[in-house]
Amino acid sequence: DNINNKDKNIITLTSIIKGYTENNNENENNEAIKLFNEMKKHKNIKPNEITYSLILKAINSLEILKEIHNEIKNNNKYENNI
């Protein structure tokens, strides 16, 4: 297995977020946003470009959208990937 535990956690959490956002259900979208925010607080697990692209589907607040846009903008690593 070439995937380390950090990557497995990112993949697992991103997959859960994907599941929450697939049905465009407000309650599930809110759960996706909660999980995304918890992920951002974790020291060793940070959202990747896939996570960011998925969470954009769940956002229904311009304020949150601006916040995430600034995160992506300030992280040059994702600038050309999203």
Side-chain angles (χ1 to χ4, degrees):
D1 190 302
N2 294 331
I3 301 174
N4 65 36
N5 283 337
K6 182 178 126 183
D7 289 338
K8 284 181 184 177
N9 289 331
I10 291 168
I11 291 168
T12 300
L13 293 172
T14 299
S15 296
I16 294 168
I17 288 172
K18 182 179 189 296
Y20 279 138
T21 61
E22 282 187 339
N23 296 321
N24 200 25
N25 173 290
E26 185 176 349
N27 291 331
E28 290 181 0
N29 285 344
N30 289 335
E31 290 299 317
I33 292 168
K34 283 182 197 175
L35 182 57
F36 175 76
N37 287 329
E38 288 177 26
M39 181 190 283
K40 291 191 312 181
K41 291 178 189 174
H42 197 281
K43 186 170 88 173
N44 295 321
I45 302 172
K46 299 296 177 197
N48 60 24
E49 59 268 16
I50 297 169
T51 314
Y52 279 111
S53 67
L54 290 169
I55 202 63
L56 291 174
K57 292 171 59 175
I59 297 171
N60 59 3
S61 161
L62 185 56
E63 182 179 323
I64 296 172
L65 184 60
K66 285 180 181 180
E67 177 184 319
I68 292 177
H69 175 264
N70 286 331
E71 285 177 30
I72 294 168
K73 189 171 134 183
N74 292 331
N75 190 339
N76 293 332
K77 180 173 137 181
Y78 304 131
E79 189 174 341
N80 295 320
N81 294 336
I82 299 180

